[in-house]
Amino acid sequence: MIVSADPAYIETLVTADGTTTYPALIDPAERWNGFVIPYFTLGTVRRIAEVHAALAVRDGYDFAPTIHVHEGGVNAEGDPRALVLKIEWTWFDQDGPDSGNVLKPTEDGYYCVGAYEWAWAVVEGHPGS
């Protein structure tokens, strides 16, 4: 179960490709070009990273951005320390290191993967659809 301190957020399932689904928190009113802005746990980000790594190998790196989770033990509170990177290989030849960015977690520890870039939609029949 995903929980947010903000009551505007609801737990649902989202997809960016119509087939692979991920549990996420969304604010149904928060949209980008009509698409939802999902927030994911670190565990879900790891799954997105695995799926996108396989897509990059299958379809080529120019067709699938990759997500990388680099972990370094735990912090003083016992929470995992992780650095999440997103690399847009399509732009690497043009932008070099600027084609990647660090995805910072929210105060609650959620990550917005593909926010304001990918066409995330709520899976039909789930809250927020």
Side-chain angles (χ1 to χ4, degrees):
M1 179 175 195
I2 304 175
V3 179
S4 172
D6 188 332
Y9 287 85
I10 60 172
E11 184 177 0
T12 194
L13 281 178
V14 297
T15 184
D17 64 5
T19 57
T20 311
T21 62
Y22 304 98
L25 283 177
I26 64 163
D27 174 349
E30 183 182 15
R31 302 282 173 144
W32 168 75
N33 290 340
F35 303 109
V36 295
I37 308 300
Y39 294 82
F40 303 104
T41 65
L42 184 57
T44 300
V45 172
R46 287 185 192 106
R47 186 164 161 249
I48 294 169
E50 290 172 5
V51 168
H52 276 256
L55 288 173
V57 169
R58 186 189 76 195
D59 299 336
Y61 283 84
D62 284 346
F63 300 101
T66 55
I67 308 298
H68 305 268
V69 180
H70 298 275
E71 301 188 58
V74 296
N75 64 19
E77 291 80 32
D79 299 321
R81 292 188 305 188
L83 183 63
V84 178
L85 305 171
K86 180 178 73 68
I87 302 173
E88 293 284 349
W89 294 104
T90 302
W91 306 114
F92 191 82
D93 292 342
Q94 175 183 322
D95 298 337
D98 290 335
S99 62
N101 57 335
V102 174
L103 303 181
K104 297 177 183 174
T106 65
E107 287 182 13
D108 292 336
Y110 297 103
Y111 295 83
C112 280
V113 177
Y116 306 98
E117 297 176 312
W118 299 355
W120 288 108
V122 174
V123 175
E124 192 171 324
H126 289 272
S129 64

